[in-house]
Amino acid sequence: MDVDLRDLRYLIAVAEEANFTRAAARVFVSQPALSKQIRALERRLGFELFERTPRGVTLTPQGAELLPTAREMLERWDRAYPRAQAIGRPRTLVVGMQTAVGRDLQRRAISRFRAAAPDWTVSLRLVGWSDPTAGLADASSDVGIVWLPIPLDGLRTRVLRRESRGVMLPEGHPLADHATVAFTDLLDEPFVALPRAAGPLRDHWLAIDARDGHPVRVGAEASGADETFEAIVSGLGVALVAAGNADLYRRPGLVFRPVDGLEPAELAVAWRGDDTRSATALFVDCLTGP
């Protein structure tokens, strides 16, 4: 009976979350797709892995027997793959980003890194918002510059900036002439949301923590900055952005205003905890050093 690594990841996520919706957000797929994949795996195995109840899911005895081995196999693979990937390839460090970072962070870090490790090169890649790990989840990036929270176990992070959250509005919006906007005035506004696969990061930029149970109106979903701001200009909704991004995203038809009543956003560098290469540690230090 053959299984693939995706099967193991799905099994572990559902077992640990005891909930298909939370597990789906953790592995960046939709809940129906995850349920379908688990059902297909159960058919191939010839027995059920989970008991499904209205309150969630629990492992069957067969699932509990397989879980430790699944964890061990996946952990061993995740340790070996980055090492194998580095063998025989150019000494390149891949840095994943979800949007333009600005703030003079990557320019300064790359300059320092090149000076300290002249035999290495840095490759920057843009990753869609459906992967809030910026490529770390599938090891297509070595380092990620990300917004917290980041929904993946086994990653290490260091905060680079803490910045207040503001709102991007279309010109002509009734709140656009306010110097500062209270978040309570935005509760009934439609928002342009990140994809559902972004999980906790989607919730952060919808400010779920500040709504006290007030429902969110989602006017549109967007997988990148250009889609977001096109949706705002088109009147489909508003969006929260970090104050440091206001100048980066300045364009005709948009107005940025500070927002009162929100906790700050945290921009961080992230890397896999089992990546012990000196080049990775060096680049992180180059980003976070004075």
Side-chain angles (χ1 to χ4, degrees), residues 7-23:
D7 292 329
L8 300 183
R9 293 190 192 279
Y10 289 176
L11 166 61
I12 294 167
V14 177
E16 293 181 349
E17 298 295 339
N19 179 282
F20 273 95
T21 300
R22 292 194 299 269

Side-chain angles (χ1 to χ4, degrees), residues 148-186:
L148 301 181
I150 186 167
L152 186 68
D153 296 334
L155 297 185
R156 300 181 63 186
T157 62
R158 288 188 197 171
V159 173
L160 301 172
R161 296 285 191 276
R162 289 184 174 88
E163 299 178 355
S164 60
R165 285 179 281 177
V167 64
M168 200 69 81
L169 305 161
E171 284 184 350
H173 190 284
L175 296 174
D177 59 355
H178 291 212
T180 301
V181 175
F183 184 67
T184 52
D185 291 335
L186 295 171

Side-chain angles (χ1 to χ4, degrees), residues 79-95:
R79 288 195 301 268
Y81 176 65
R83 297 195 298 266
Q85 189 182 40
I87 295 173
R89 75 173 187 180
R91 296 164 71 85
T92 300
L93 195 77
V94 180
V95 179

Side-chain angles (χ1 to χ4, degrees), residues 138-153:
D138 62 3
S140 57
S141 297
D142 300 306
V143 176
I145 301 177
V146 300
W147 290 100
L148 301 181
I150 186 167
L152 186 68
D153 296 334

Side-chain angles (χ1 to χ4, degrees), residues 71-103:
R71 284 182 172 138
E72 180 184 357
M73 292 173 63
L74 195 58
E75 288 170 0
R76 292 176 64 182
W77 175 266
D78 286 343
R79 288 195 301 268
Y81 176 65
R83 297 195 298 266
Q85 189 182 40
I87 295 173
R89 75 173 187 180
R91 296 164 71 85
T92 300
L93 195 77
V94 180
V95 179
M97 304 175 295
Q98 292 171 319
T99 57
V101 176
R103 301 163 177 84

